[in-house]
Amino acid sequence: MTKRHSAKYKLDRRMGENVWGRAKSPVNQRSYGPGQHGQRRKSKVSDFGLQLRAKQKLKGYYGNLTEKQFSRIYTEAARRKGNTSENLIALLESRLDAIVYRAKFVPTVFAARQFVNHGHVTVNGKRVNIPSYRVKPGDVVSVRERSRNMALVLEAVASSERDTPDYIQVDGKGLSATFVRAPELAEVPYPVKMEPNLVVEFYAS
């Protein structure tokens, strides 16, 4: 288990970007890195450094993914036919916690993982509490009836901070979402530029 839950905005500071596009991000006030050396002049980054940064940013965006989990997802993406970087994004966006977050049932990717873990979500009517569960096109993800009045859910649904992407159809009244299809990189509403091609180079080197 990672420590990301205790210092989630450190990734923003390290990258110098508002990775999740949140109004609360410290980057909005301080664009330099964390720690006592954060304001030092930045040196030129090597190709490996750029690849590592791209990998850390993409992995960090999806919350509490461990290095082992992320590496396993990459391995499957590489094994599949087609473009490996596009496959990687499709697999990440097919995770149950990612669908819950994209459907705006919760305000953050970290909350999505916990929400699924605590049994508040069903897939095709059956309760699933595994955040990494792979949702297939046509599957319907719903918030359990007894969980629909939680403050967390009501706040997220009412928020205008994010839009729902086209590859997910949301029924706001029923608090359910249909995963239409696995998306391409260009369709995913990342608040910052993601470079899965550099992630592929990182693992291939």
Side-chain angles (χ1 to χ4, degrees):
M1 185 140 171
T2 72
K3 300 289 184 183
R4 174 68 64 224
H5 64 279
S6 63
K8 61 184 71 170
Y9 285 119
K10 213 177 234 187
L11 183 69
D12 280 10
R13 297 284 306 283
R14 191 179 303 123
M15 297 296 165
E17 298 178 86
N18 190 346
V19 175
W20 296 283
R22 302 218 71 202
K24 294 178 180 178
S25 173
V27 169
N28 297 336
Q29 284 79 39
R30 302 186 298 270
S31 60
Y32 51 87
Q36 63 179 350
H37 304 300
Q39 296 186 66
R40 282 187 175 177
R41 183 181 297 173
K42 293 178 181 176
S43 57
K44 187 177 179 182
V45 182
S46 66
D47 288 346
F48 176 79
L50 291 173
Q51 294 163 5
L52 177 62
R53 176 188 169 91
K55 190 264 293 183
Q56 294 294 73
K57 184 163 66 169
L58 185 62
K59 180 170 78 73
Y61 177 85
Y62 287 93
N64 292 321
L65 282 182
T66 64
E67 184 61 43
K68 187 175 181 181
Q69 288 173 321
F70 192 75
S71 178
R72 194 181 300 133
I73 293 170
Y74 167 77
T75 300
E76 181 167 349
R79 194 167 55 235
R80 290 188 171 197
K81 291 182 180 179
N83 186 300
T84 300
S85 58
E86 291 286 355
N87 291 343
L88 178 62
I89 296 300
L91 287 170
L92 288 167
E93 286 292 307
S94 299
R95 287 172 55 94
L96 180 56
D97 54 358
I99 302 292
V100 168
Y101 174 63
R102 292 288 181 220
K104 290 179 63 175
F105 295 154
V106 292
T108 68
V109 290
F110 306 97
R113 185 181 181 90
Q114 189 175 48
F115 196 68
V116 174
N117 263 331
H118 290 181
H120 298 298
V121 174
T122 64
V123 178
N124 299 329
K126 294 182 180 180
R127 188 160 70 113
V128 179
N129 61 359
I130 303 169
S132 61
Y133 177 88
R134 184 152 314 139
V135 181
K136 300 179 183 67
D139 283 353
V140 178
V141 177
S142 307
V143 177
R144 294 183 74 193
E145 191 147 354
R146 69 179 191 181
S147 307
R148 294 178 184 179
N149 289 322
M150 293 174 63
L152 181 82
V153 176
L154 297 175
E155 174 199 337
V157 171
S159 173
S160 59
E161 196 172 74
R162 293 181 290 120
D163 293 323
T164 306
D166 291 340
Y167 51 90
I168 296 175
Q169 288 182 347
V170 177
D171 174 5
K173 290 183 180 179
L175 282 182
S176 65
T178 302
F179 186 49
V180 180
R181 55 186 162 73
E184 296 179 357
L185 172 62
E187 298 177 279
V188 182
Y190 293 120
V192 295
K193 184 180 180 181
M194 293 294 181
E195 298 170 295
N197 57 308
L198 293 182
V199 179
V200 173
E201 289 177 15
F202 173 84
Y203 282 110
S205 61

